[in-house]
Each structure stands twice: as structure tokens, then as C-alpha cells.
């Protein structure tokens, strides 16, 4: 059996047994296309997500905070790399995915179209945005597609460090002067609702959810994950001594969950359409960085070619891994 022979029975058996589908296995075209769309969007979000926080690296208030923030932003670049690598196992080229991002044919998470106005935003992003990302991504460690699931294991470990550093930063501000507390509260006020939107539209309006769950790409619906996130955040906000900006937030004894107020989906759709405060800035910066990095990619490819020619001249066998690296460059 080769990858070109359709084999829906094996595919279905793999899913039913909760085993992983691997790159060489046959898979339905729609399953492949769904994964490419999701993994690419995820990878784009990681690298675009570097921008709002990188904005504060030069202005971090201490060497310790600066070192932490640099490490975090660098982690996000790494997450992008693992994910572009995972997408490539599905037969797409990284170059084409980046073109799709730059030309607006593929999306990144709308959360990164909001600005980082103060230092406290670095804390709010870590606590809420990375926190929402973890809630979304922990179940993806059990995604049916092997390379994506394995990439997520490492990403989630790093995201949990991101979440903690944000929480710890906010805690320091919340225990600080009145001005620092006010800055922390203002950041939480601005980031809370967009964080809830990160889980995507309500289940009733989420066209892909049912099929993605049947394929075991997704394990929980958008609303389930959003509820889980709210339930985690409410007691954490209490510990911080900060208020979540939702007067309707209260414990519902019957449901065993916190109820929350209505989400402004009109805002979500507007940001998705490109009308967010920073859409143009983010994509403009990304295009510029890509163009300015062209010489690095060319130099890396030329170096890989030189190494390969040298090995061929020596009569040494070429290493598969290095061949792959050149393609990736
Ligand atoms: Fe990340
Ligand atoms: Fe992160």
C-alpha cells in the first residue's frame, strides 16, 4: 500500500483506535486541507504574535524582565518554526504559506491586531492571551495528526512558562503603587474580551467544528473551551486583586460554571475583516521583515548547497536531514 492508494478503512480505524495519522498514510483531501489551514493559521499567529510584545523589549523596566521577555518572544518564533515544519509534512511549502499570509489569503489570530499601550499589557498578554492559547492547545496534544500533536507537546510546555511570567508580572504591579495597580487593571480591562474571542465564534456559528471533532483534530467545541478558560481565570483574578470587566460574571451553582456576559461578536467580525486597530501595522511589518530577510534565506540556501557539493565531492553520502534543511531554507 502506498500513500497514493485511497485507504479510507485504515484511516477510519486509526481514528477509532485513537492512534495517529502520519504523513505517509493515506488521508482524505478535506482532512489534509483542514489541517493545512489550521496549522498555517496557528504558525502565522505565532510569528505575528511576536510583534505586540517585542514592542516592549527595549522599554522593559529591569534586566530580569527584559531577559524574560526576549526569551518569550524568541519562543514564539520557535513555535512558528515547529508549526511551519508540521504543515510541510502535509505537502505544502513554507514559502507558499508565507505568501498566503502576506497576501491576506490566510489568517492569523485576531488578538494580535490590538495594540500594547503600556508595560502592563505584557503581563495581561501572558496571563490572558497565552492562557487562552494553552486552554485551546492542550487538547491539540491529542490531535489525530501526529506531527501537529507532537509539536504541540513542546509548545504547551513553553506556553505555560509564558502564562506564569505574565501572571507574575501582573501580580507585581497589582501589589505596587496605586498607579501600577491602575495600569494593571486597565490592561486587563482591554485584553479580557478579545481573549474570550480567541476561542472563535459560538458553536452554533462555527462551520468547521463538527467535522474537525469527528476527525479528532479538535477535541472540544469553542464554547466548551471558552467556559473552561473563564472558570480558570475568575479565581486567578481574585488572587491578583483585579476585576474582570464583566458585571454579569457570577458562579452558576446549577451549571457548576461561571456565567459571563454577552461577547461583542460585531467587534470580532470587524477585526477579522481587517478593521482592528493594528491590522495594517502588523501585516506591513511582517512583509517588511520578510523582504529585509531575503538575503539571510539566500545565504543559508547557498551555504547548504556549498556543504552538499563538498560532501558529494568527498564521496560521502548525503544526509537526509541536511537535504531537508536546505529545502526548508
Ligand atoms: Fe506560542
Ligand atoms: Fe506564548
Amino acid at each position: 500500500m502506498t500513500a497514493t492508494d485511497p485507504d479510507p478503512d485504515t484511516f477510519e480505524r486509526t481514528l477509532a483506535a485513537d492512534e495517529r495519522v502520519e504523513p505517509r498514510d493515506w488521508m482524505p483531501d478535506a482532512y489534509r486541507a483542514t489541517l493545512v489551514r489550521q496549522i498555517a493559521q496557528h504558525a502565522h499567529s505565532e510569528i505575528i504574535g511576536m510583534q505586540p510584545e517585542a514592542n516592549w523589549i527595549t522599554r522593559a523596566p529591569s534586566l530580569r524582565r527584559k531577559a524574560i521577555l526576549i526569551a518569550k518572544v524568541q519562543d514564539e518564533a520557535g513555535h512558528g518554526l515547529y508549526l511551519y515544519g508540521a504543515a510541510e509534512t502535509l505537502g505544502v511549502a513554507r514559502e507558499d504559506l508565507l505568501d498566503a499570509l502576506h497576501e491576506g489569503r490566510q489568517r492569523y489570530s485576531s488578538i494580535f491586531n490590538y495594540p500594547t499601550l503600556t508595560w502592563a499589557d505584557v503581563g495581561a498578554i501572558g496571563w490572558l492571551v497565552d492562557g487562552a492559547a494553552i486552554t485551546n492547545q492542550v487538547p491539540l496534544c491529542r490531535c489525530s495528526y501526529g506531527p501537529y500533536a507532537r509539536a504541540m507537546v513542546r509548545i504547551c510546555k513553553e506556553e505555560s512558562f509564558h502564562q506564569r511570567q505574565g501572571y507574575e508580572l501582573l501580580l507585581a504591579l497589582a501589589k505596587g503603587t496605586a498607579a501600577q495597580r491602575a495600569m494593571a487593571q486597565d490592561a486587563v480591562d482591554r485584553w479580557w474580551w478579545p481573549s474570550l474571542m480567541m476561542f472563535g465564534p459560538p458553536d452554533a456559528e462555527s462551520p468547521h467544528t463538527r467535522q474537525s471533532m469527528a476527525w479528532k483534530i479538535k477535541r472540544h467545541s469553542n464554547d466548551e473551551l471558552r467556559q473552561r478558560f473563564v472558570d480558570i481565570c475568575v479565581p486567578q483574578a481574585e488572587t491578583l486583586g483585579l476585576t474582570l470587566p464583566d458585571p454579569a460574571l457570577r458562579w452558576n451553582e446549577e451549571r457548576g460554571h461561571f456565567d459571563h456576559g454577552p461577547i461583542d461578536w460585531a467587534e470580532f467580525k470587524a477585526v477579522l475583516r481587517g478593521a482592528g486597530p493594528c491590522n495594517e501595522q502588523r501585516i506591513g511589518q511582517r512583509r517588511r521583515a520578510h523582504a529585509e530577510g531575503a538575503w539571510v534565506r539566500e545565504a543559508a540556501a547557498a551555504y547548504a548547497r556549498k556543504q552538499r557539493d563538498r560532501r558529494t565531492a568527498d564521496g560521502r553520502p548525503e544526509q537526509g536531514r541536511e537535504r531537508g534543511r536546505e529545502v526548508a531554507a
Side-chain angles (χ1 to χ4, degrees):
M1 179 81 51
T2 70
T4 49
D5 295 325
D7 186 8
D9 291 345
T10 305
F11 176 76
E12 290 299 336
R13 261 201 309 277
T14 304
L15 293 189
D18 240 338
E19 287 168 0
R20 299 284 168 266
V21 177
E22 296 297 338
R24 285 193 182 83
D25 298 339
W26 180 86
M27 62 189 86
D29 289 344
Y31 175 84
R32 186 186 298 273
T34 297
L35 279 166
V36 168
R37 180 176 51 77
Q38 180 171 336
I39 300 174
Q41 177 168 335
H42 193 164
H44 299 331
S45 303
E46 299 285 356
I47 62 167
I48 294 273
M50 296 167 72
Q51 292 184 34
E53 289 182 287
N55 185 32
W56 282 93
I57 289 175
T58 55
R59 291 172 288 170
S62 69
L63 184 59
R64 174 173 173 267
R65 293 289 179 199
K66 193 193 286 276
I68 293 172
L69 186 55
I70 290 173
K72 192 218 180 223
V73 172
Q74 216 164 35
D75 281 353
E76 307 299 6
H79 297 174
L81 292 183
Y82 313 154
L83 290 166
Y84 286 118
E88 284 189 310
T89 65
L90 291 158
V92 290
R94 185 179 310 193
E95 209 43 47
D96 294 339
L97 298 179
L98 286 169
D99 285 348
L101 168 66
H102 299 149
E103 291 161 16
R105 286 180 283 115
Q106 282 177 348
R107 286 188 167 135
Y108 57 89
S109 175
S110 276
I111 191 81
F112 301 118
N113 291 317
Y114 290 87
T116 41
L117 302 180
T118 71
W119 170 251
D121 287 24
V122 172
I125 289 182
W127 177 39
L128 297 174
V129 176
D130 291 278
I134 297 169
T135 310
N136 250 328
Q137 291 170 8
V138 164
L140 287 173
C141 297
R142 295 188 297 123
C143 162
S144 59
Y145 188 59
Y148 191 30
R150 289 189 288 273
M152 291 320 300
V153 173
R154 178 158 171 189
I155 289 177
C156 283
K157 285 189 181 142
E158 293 176 350
E159 293 299 356
S160 109
F161 154 69
H162 299 171
Q163 194 269 355
R164 277 153 187 258
Q165 67 83 34
Y167 190 80
E168 195 257 349
L169 194 166
L170 279 184
L171 193 59
L173 291 176
K175 284 183 173 165
T177 64
Q180 286 173 320
R181 259 197 312 282
M183 186 165 73
Q185 182 62 58
D186 170 65
V188 169
D189 288 347
R190 284 181 290 106
W191 288 95
W192 173 249
W193 290 106
S195 301
L196 293 192
M197 295 175 198
M198 282 177 72
F199 296 91
D203 293 349
E205 292 165 36
S206 173
H208 303 298
T209 293
R210 191 181 301 172
Q211 181 61 74
S212 282
M213 286 176 74
W215 278 330
K216 296 189 176 175
I217 296 174
K218 274 183 90 149
R219 299 285 181 157
H220 308 280
S221 75
N222 295 353
D223 287 333
E224 279 168 24
L225 292 168
R226 187 167 14 244
Q227 180 70 63
R228 187 177 294 181
F229 178 68
V230 170
D231 291 346
I232 292 170
C233 286
V234 173
Q236 291 181 341
E238 274 166 24
T239 309
L240 286 170
L242 298 174
T243 312
L244 295 172
D246 179 359
L249 208 54
R250 63 179 55 88
W251 179 250
N252 182 324
E253 194 66 56
E254 213 168 292
R255 294 199 309 122
H257 292 290
F258 284 94
D259 289 336
H260 62 80
I263 294 171
D264 182 358
W265 292 112
E267 175 181 324
F268 175 74
K269 284 177 191 156
V271 178
L272 214 57
R273 271 201 316 274
C278 299
N279 294 58
E280 271 174 47
Q281 183 188 334
R282 300 291 184 238
I283 205 69
Q285 172 60 25
R286 176 89 270 289
R287 288 197 195 111
R288 222 167 17 252
H290 192 70
E292 285 170 5
W295 71 272
V296 179
R297 294 190 297 280
E298 281 161 23
Y303 179 75
R305 247 189 330 269
K306 203 163 103 186
Q307 294 295 100
R308 188 192 56 200
D309 292 347
R310 195 169 289 164
R311 269 194 310 276
T312 316
D314 288 352
R316 274 186 286 159
E318 206 181 316
Q319 297 292 315
R321 220 174 136 221
E322 278 151 342
R323 264 206 312 277
R325 212 176 271 165
E326 192 202 4
V327 173

